[in-house]
Amino acid sequence: MAGPAASSNPPEIKSRIGAILRATSGNFLEQFDFFLFGFYAAAIGKAFFPSTNETAQLLNTFGVFWLGALMRPVGAIVLGAYIDRIGRRQGLIVTLAIMAAGTVVIAFCPTYATIGVAAPIIVLIGRLLQGFSAGVELGGVSVYLSEISTPGNRGFYTSFQSSSQQVAIFVASVLGFILSEMMPAETVTAWGWRIPFFVGCLIIPLIFFLRRSLQETPAFLAMKKHPTANEVFASALANWRIVILGMMIAVLTTTTFYFVTVYTPTFGKSVLKLSTQDALLVTLLVAVTNFFWNPVGGALSDRVGRKPVLLTIACLALVTAYPALHWLVAAPTFGKLLAVEMMFSFYFGMYSGTMLGALVEIVPAHVRTTCFSLAFALAAALFGTFTPFASTLLIEHTGDKASPGYWLMLAAVLGIIAASVVYRGGKQAVTTYDPIAEPVAGH
């Protein structure tokens, strides 16, 4: 494909800090809305999925939350192919537009009491749009950051994809805390929950402005050929094994993230019977520590390698997840919830900061966005965003309030298996395949 790709001396990124901020701004919007949907699950359930049973209401709401996530693999393939063919910059602008549309739909949708069954259908459409966009947003941003990274710092740079999401969690938690202090709980449930969504709508123009000034990556401009959509699909299919292994590596990141952010407020209020303020304050502090541990994990893996960090954290999660939750639910307090969440935050940040760099490296370069996004989207759709639903279901059917720990243990086992296979012998041992050219070893 001719054009800028043929340039022998592609322009350098003017400001890497500026590029990081512009690239991750869309991540902020995406996670801001995802968190709000989880935190206000009970209120959203009453507004759009009325039921006499509180658990059924929550399951309906988290079910829609999960159905939206099932669109992620579709978005990863369709939009991933677009980004690998057209470019990182243009693709990230398109994903932002789709995400913004979903945000506006949910913020302004009338309640079930007003328009009947059309309300949950409209909310589902909004979630499907958000899921479709999110399928490639995370991958697109991670690939962009990896391609502008300085030598030996790929893990550190890519970790800011996840760190930017923690800023969104922090801001959403602060807004929620202020609302809970200023409004009675009944008012928040009736209509106050919409206010943070309206705030999300108001910042959309600013994020569009930031994304439009994003530079294309030198790595993409230096490529001699950009694959067609059909070639991208063929290559993704040919590399199905590395996509599945990448998904397994990413599962622990997605499950711990959605547990400590999206599900924790509901867990704290509905299961542990702590106050809304306590649950929000814990989530706010988790966002701060998540932001800190992500670049620490990325930088450490740049120095000691991806495999040691991935396996160490996964093994720790495997042996501590259930005991920690069992200790918490035996006699719930704010302090114990904070302690357990801080532990999970450490696991998430260190693992995620490492995993992002690892995933960028193990997928084939010519379809990097598609394969990265597909692996991560499958992990998020099948495991991560299913975490609130799975946790609610496990507690309902087992009667054990610590049973979500089993879900986190499963994620840890998958991570241990995949990391051991990918990095067999201490280095990447999985071969990637380019059907357009010749087979190439993992890089």
Side-chain angles (χ1 to χ4, degrees), residues 27 49 55 80 95 136 138 151 171 208 214 242 271 273 286 310 323:
N27 255 354
F49 310 99
T55 300
T95 62
V136 82
L138 302 182
V171 173
F208 264 112
L214 196 66
I242 197 66
V271 179
K273 305 303 179 183
V286 162
L310 293 175

Side-chain angles (χ1 to χ4, degrees), residues 154-155 298 301-302 304-311 354 357-358 361 423:
R154 178 177 282 168
S301 70
D302 284 332
V304 304
R306 315 294 184 212
K307 182 181 179 180
V309 182
L310 293 175
L311 288 180
T354 302
E361 291 167 348
Y423 295 105

Side-chain angles (χ1 to χ4, degrees), residues 414-427:
L414 293 176
I416 291 168
I417 293 171
S420 299
V421 172
V422 170
Y423 295 105
R424 191 168 56 250
K427 60 181 180 180

Side-chain angles (χ1 to χ4, degrees), residues 366 433-440:
H366 63 291
Y433 180 65
D434 179 359
I436 303 169
E438 298 293 330
V440 292

Side-chain angles (χ1 to χ4, degrees), residues 278-310:
D278 282 349
L280 267 174
L281 185 56
V282 168
T283 308
L284 188 152
L285 294 172
V286 162
V288 174
T289 53
N290 284 352
F291 182 88
F292 173 78
W293 289 121
N294 262 282
V296 171
L300 180 63
S301 70
D302 284 332
R303 303 297 176 266
V304 304
R306 315 294 184 212
K307 182 181 179 180
V309 182
L310 293 175

Side-chain angles (χ1 to χ4, degrees), residues 41-67:
I44 291 172
K46 290 180 180 177
F48 302 113
F49 310 99
S51 171
T52 55
N53 185 288
E54 184 180 349
T55 300
Q57 240 174 214
L58 275 177
L59 287 174
N60 284 335
T61 307
F62 285 139
V64 169
F65 182 82
W66 182 52
L67 285 174

Side-chain angles (χ1 to χ4, degrees), residues 345-363:
S345 171
F346 171 73
Y347 293 166
F348 162 73
M350 294 294 290
Y351 191 91
S352 176
T354 302
M355 182 278 300
L356 293 169
L359 197 51
V360 167
E361 291 167 348
I362 67 176
V363 297

